[in-house]
Amino acid sequence: MYYIAGLTSILPSSTQTVEGLVVFTTFRQFQYSLSRTRTIATVANAEAGPVCVTPTSFIGKIITPIHALSIFIPPVTYILCVTFNRFAQPAWMQRMSLPDTYFKHENKVGLRVAACAATFMVIRFGARVLTHLGSQWHLIGRREKSRIVQTGPYAVVRHPLYTSALIQGLFFTLMTWSYAPLVGLGITTGASAVKVLVEEDLIMQDPAVAEEYRAYMQRVPARLVPFLW
């Protein structure tokens, strides 16, 4: 039994149990992302046609692989290393642990478990984003039957899928209690900032939706973070 923030809670007492929970949560998020992406890609191709316009610049061509790798490499590395190390972080990973100076062991465990729970909320948020995005999903480019999505999360920020990825990166840092994910998160943040500019440039080159998107940009000025950018 641990006493945290004035509440008595039952939390995992074994380090292996905590790492196992983090591995399960990370794997579930990774599995869902791949499964949902495959499904929505099929729907998008059927309903809105294939991607007919893609970036032609060097940056435009490489930004999507960089963005994808920065999102997927940290969790895949964690899952493999911890699982094959019998659900314990290997020594090199432990050397990158967040400081414990200001946290008791039970508080740290509580934060890690809370981050796991919050991750499932992010998964639900991502599902909602994809539901609204529907046939307009793509890695980067413009589909034959292009339209502007402005409902749900898209009424708050213009690129909520990237916002979701950034939030997940923060939670993953707490889940693993390590500085290591911050490296990937920094790359993801920079790649997201570049990618949204490339995507919006492609949209503005489409005369069929350019005016509508210009009005949408005025109504929803935030690209990734409300009130900031």
Side-chain angles (χ1 to χ4, degrees):
M1 303 287 284
Y2 293 119
Y3 188 76
I4 299 178
L7 298 175
T8 301
S9 305
I10 299 176
L11 295 172
S13 58
S14 167
T15 299
Q16 286 183 314
T17 303
V18 177
E19 298 301 339
L21 176 61
V22 175
V23 167
F24 169 76
T25 304
T26 305
F27 178 78
R28 182 68 186 94
Q29 192 272 335
F30 187 72
Q31 178 191 46
Y32 176 82
S33 298
L34 292 180
S35 174
R36 192 73 176 93
T37 297
R38 286 197 298 266
T39 300
I40 198 170
T42 301
V43 172
N45 285 329
E47 295 183 358
V51 174
C52 58
V53 178
T54 57
T56 57
S57 67
F58 175 73
I59 292 297
K61 291 178 179 178
I62 68 169
I63 197 60
T64 294
I66 292 174
H67 186 256
L69 290 173
S70 68
I71 291 174
F72 289 117
I73 285 179
V76 170
T77 300
Y78 176 83
I79 291 172
L80 293 177
C81 290
V82 172
T83 299
F84 285 104
N85 199 45
R86 298 182 179 180
F87 293 100
Q89 292 190 10
W92 68 266
M93 194 176 291
Q94 293 181 28
R95 287 194 292 270
M96 301 185 72
S97 294
L98 294 174
D100 295 333
T101 308
Y102 304 104
F103 295 94
K104 295 180 180 179
H105 172 73
E106 56 267 28
N107 292 355
K108 181 177 75 173
V109 171
L111 286 171
R112 296 184 70 183
V113 172
C116 288
T119 293
F120 285 97
M121 296 177 63
V122 177
I123 292 175
R124 289 177 62 88
F125 175 73
R128 187 182 176 206
V129 172
L130 288 173
T131 297
H132 285 272
L133 184 59
S135 64
Q136 296 305 300
W137 179 88
H138 53 78
L139 288 175
I140 188 166
R142 199 170 67 233
R143 293 192 176 275
E144 285 182 347
K145 301 175 184 177
S146 181
R147 67 180 179 84
I148 307 302
V149 179
Q150 306 179 47
T151 58
Y154 287 89
V156 181
V157 293
R158 300 202 297 268
H159 302 273
L161 271 182
Y162 301 156
T163 303
S164 175
L166 297 180
I167 295 173
Q168 180 54 53
L170 290 174
F171 285 144
F172 186 60
T173 299
L174 287 177
M175 286 164 56
T176 59
W177 203 258
S178 172
Y179 285 112
L182 293 178
V183 177
L185 180 59
I187 297 173
T188 300
T189 302
S192 296
V194 173
K195 194 175 179 186
V196 297
L197 296 178
V198 173
E199 288 186 356
E200 292 188 341
D201 181 62
L202 290 176
I203 294 172
M204 295 303 292
Q205 292 177 25
D206 184 356
V209 297
E211 286 302 320
E212 182 182 1
Y213 196 76
R214 188 174 288 108
Y216 172 57
M217 291 170 67
Q218 294 177 349
R219 187 168 60 259
V220 182
R223 294 182 174 94
L224 296 174
V225 184
F227 310 112
L228 290 179
W229 189 77

